């Protein structure tokens, strides 16, 4: 491949976006301290004899059909030898920070969850081969953190994310410039960012199941079903996505994280665990910026796409996960009807400022 060390961009790679997704992250963090559990069907999650939910499953467990968001009892029926362990949030937090610190060395980083991030390596691509950088990051991750990762490289966030999921575990899928549409063509439409069960169900009305079919459907037909969203939907099927990697810069007005679920979720344990995971990311972002928050909000989206946010405020600013989670969990429990199917859950903070005081814990220690 030709390189252009003196140019602002690599002529073959006008943008080079990496998506790094840690493989079975909660499981592999557990294995760092419990190597005897390696190689067996393993799940991180709640009590299989209660209302627990699988948060993460080893690849040995996945061979039996066990997957995240599945009720733990069902998982145990699919795999009677399945071993359940609980989250070790302190270990997960430390491991996530190591991962993100490593990735941030390569370019602007947009953290999506404790185990997933985009990195814009366009500046490095001006002087080196992006393909080599992608392989280097995957190998460095294993070497320095002892945790496996899958990497996707493309000219956009959308295609990079699909690519990172293409060859798990520890895959490295590279979609060269100009190959985006061909790469996506045979894949199901559900592989695309923003295409959930409802959208996929609507597309089946037009006999659309693959990205190629979506890309070549007359726009007028799509517009009848999706209105103004039709053009964006078709562009995604062609691999067109101009969203930038949004690294943290300047004074933020709010800091938030949200997660859209591949399947609608009704289990409280899973949703509360996910809420805690999102809170960890938000709290770390506050602390990195030296900010505290006076308002915590939770975003809800039901299966029918009903979407709303609710918030609570405190007089003294907070930046600790436990304090943010206490407010967020209270909001969640107040406004989530038990059993209500959730498509998306988000948590965020606003009314940010440099700290003048700290919220006190129950025992009087600064939090």
């Amino acid at each position: 491949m030709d390189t252009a060390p003196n140019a602002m961009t690599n002529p073959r790679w006008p943008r080079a976006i990496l998506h790094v997704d840690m493989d079975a992250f909660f499981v592999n963090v557990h294995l760092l301290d419990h190597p005897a559990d390696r190689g067996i069907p393993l799940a991180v999650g709640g009590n299989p004899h209660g209302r627990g939910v699988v948060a993460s499953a080893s690849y040995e467990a996945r061979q039996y059909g066990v997957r995240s968001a599945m009720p733990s009892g069902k998982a145990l029926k699919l795999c009677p030898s399945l071993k359940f362990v609980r989250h070790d949030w302190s270990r997960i937090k430390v491991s996530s920070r190591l991962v993100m610190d490593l990735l941030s060395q390569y370019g602007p980083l947009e953290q999506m969850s404790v185990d997933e991030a985009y990195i814009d390596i366009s500046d490095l691509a001006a002087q080196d081969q992006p393909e080599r950088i992608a392989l280097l990051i995957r190998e460095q991750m294993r070497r320095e953190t002892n945790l496996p990762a899958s990497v996707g490289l493309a000219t956009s966030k959308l295609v990079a994310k699909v690519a990172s999921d293409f060859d798990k575990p520890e895959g490295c899928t590279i979609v060269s410039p100009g190959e985006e549409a061909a790469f996506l063509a045979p894949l199901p439409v559900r592989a695309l960012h923003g295409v959930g069960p409802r959208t996929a169900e609507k597309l089946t009305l037009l006999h659309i199941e693959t990205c190629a079919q979506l890309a070549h459907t007359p726009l007028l037909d799509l517009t009848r079903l999706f209105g103004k969203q039709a053009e964006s939907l078709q562009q995604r099927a062609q691999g067109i996505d101009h969203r930038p990697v949004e690294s943290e810069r300047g004074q933020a007005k709010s800091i938030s994280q949200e997660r859209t679920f591949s399947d609608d979720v009704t289990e409280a344990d899973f949703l509360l665990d996910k809420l805690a995971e999102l809170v960890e990311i938000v709290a770390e972002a506050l602390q990195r910026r030296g900010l505290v928050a006076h308002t915590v909000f939770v975003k809800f989206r039901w299966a029918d796409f009903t979407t709303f946010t609710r918030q609570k405020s405190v007089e003294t600013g907070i930046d600790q996960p436990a304090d943010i989670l206490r407010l967020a969990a209270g909001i969640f429990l107040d406004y989530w009807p038990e059993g209500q199917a959730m498509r998306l859950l988000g948590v965020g903070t606003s009314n940010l400022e440099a700290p003048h005081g700290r919220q006190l814990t129950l025992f009087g220690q600064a939090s």
Side-chain angles (χ1 to χ4, degrees):
M1 171 180 291
D2 296 331
T3 58
N6 298 317
M8 292 299 293
T9 59
N10 185 313
R12 281 204 57 206
W13 287 87
R15 279 207 309 169
I17 309 298
L18 276 174
H19 182 262
V20 177
D21 192 8
M22 305 305 293
D23 298 322
F25 185 61
F26 292 173
V27 166
N28 281 302
V29 169
H30 170 83
L31 293 175
L32 292 175
D33 300 321
H34 304 87
D37 287 340
R38 192 173 301 278
I40 67 171
L42 184 68
V44 176
N47 182 0
H49 304 294
R51 300 189 62 188
V53 179
V54 175
S56 179
S58 68
Y59 286 92
E60 292 83 2
R62 295 181 195 190
Q63 293 177 2
Y64 291 87
V66 178
R67 57 179 176 78
S68 62
M70 174 180 287
S72 299
K74 180 179 178 180
L76 194 59
K77 289 180 180 178
L78 290 172
C79 180
S81 62
L82 185 64
K83 180 177 180 177
F84 280 89
V85 296
R86 292 295 296 169
H87 300 87
D88 182 346
W89 280 113
S90 61
R91 190 69 158 111
I92 289 169
K93 180 179 179 180
V94 169
S95 297
S96 176
R97 189 71 265 142
L98 287 173
V99 167
M100 298 304 158
D101 286 347
L102 186 157
L103 296 178
S104 66
Q105 300 171 16
Y106 288 89
L109 177 139
E110 182 178 351
Q111 184 176 351
M112 303 305 295
S113 69
V114 292
D115 61 346
E116 175 189 1
Y118 294 100
I119 311 98
D120 189 336
I121 62 167
S122 299
D123 287 347
L124 288 178
Q127 304 177 27
D128 200 349
Q129 297 182 4
E131 299 91 337
R132 192 189 73 84
I133 297 170
L135 287 166
L136 176 66
I137 288 176
R138 186 190 62 171
E139 293 164 3
Q140 185 181 3
M141 186 69 69
R142 168 61 85 172
R143 184 173 65 251
E144 296 188 13
T145 71
N146 203 28
L147 293 166
S150 291
V151 177
L153 171 66
T155 57
S156 70
K157 290 166 70 172
L158 180 148
V159 180
K161 181 173 174 60
V162 176
S164 70
D165 197 43
F166 191 74
D167 189 28
K168 280 183 167 289
E170 291 197 89
C172 182
T173 301
I174 296 166
V175 183
S176 299
E179 298 298 322
E180 297 87 355
F183 169 70
L184 294 174
L187 302 181
V189 292
R190 285 292 305 277
L192 297 175
H193 168 77
V195 177
R198 293 272 180 167
T199 300
E201 185 178 341
K202 283 187 176 182
L203 288 170
T204 60
L205 298 175
L206 296 175
H207 306 289
I208 297 172
E209 296 182 353
T210 68
C211 292
Q213 291 170 330
L214 176 55
H216 294 99
T217 297
L219 185 59
L220 183 61
D221 292 343
L222 291 174
T223 302
R224 292 192 185 102
L225 279 179
F226 299 101
K228 294 180 180 179
Q229 297 180 352
E231 186 174 3
S232 171
L233 194 60
Q234 192 164 63
Q235 286 180 341
R236 275 176 272 166
Q238 298 165 351
I240 299 171
D241 174 25
H242 301 297
R243 292 175 299 151
V245 172
E246 297 179 352
S247 60
E248 297 175 358
R249 294 178 181 173
Q251 176 68 48
K253 294 183 179 180
S254 65
I255 295 175
S256 63
Q257 283 286 317
E258 61 185 42
R259 195 64 61 245
T260 300
F261 306 118
S262 56
D263 296 302
D264 296 334
V265 178
T266 60
E267 292 81 9
D269 287 348
F270 179 84
L271 292 169
L272 286 169
D273 279 346
K274 184 59 63 175
L275 191 71
E277 176 186 329
L278 298 175
V279 162
E280 289 283 346
I281 301 170
V282 170
E284 286 196 10
L286 283 171
Q287 293 164 15
R288 283 199 303 273
R289 294 184 174 201
L291 298 172
V292 295
H294 290 270
T295 299
V296 173
F297 59 88
V298 176
K299 181 177 179 180
F300 302 81
R301 179 170 296 159
W302 305 150
D304 65 359
F305 283 81
T306 298
T307 304
F308 61 95
T309 60
R310 295 293 183 268
Q311 66 184 41
K312 289 185 178 181
S313 296
V314 291
E315 184 175 348
T316 304
I318 56 178
D319 67 352
Q320 294 299 306
D323 296 322
I324 298 171
L325 182 58
R326 184 167 55 249
L327 292 178
I331 297 169
F332 174 82
L333 293 172
D334 283 345
Y335 291 98
W336 179 70
E338 187 172 357
Q340 171 68 54
M342 291 277 287
R343 173 174 171 76
L344 175 147
L345 179 64
V347 64
T349 55
S350 59
N351 293 331
L352 310 181
E353 65 173 3
H356 301 296
R358 295 279 180 170
Q359 185 78 24
L360 296 180
T361 67
L362 179 64
F363 301 102
Q365 296 176 333
S367 59

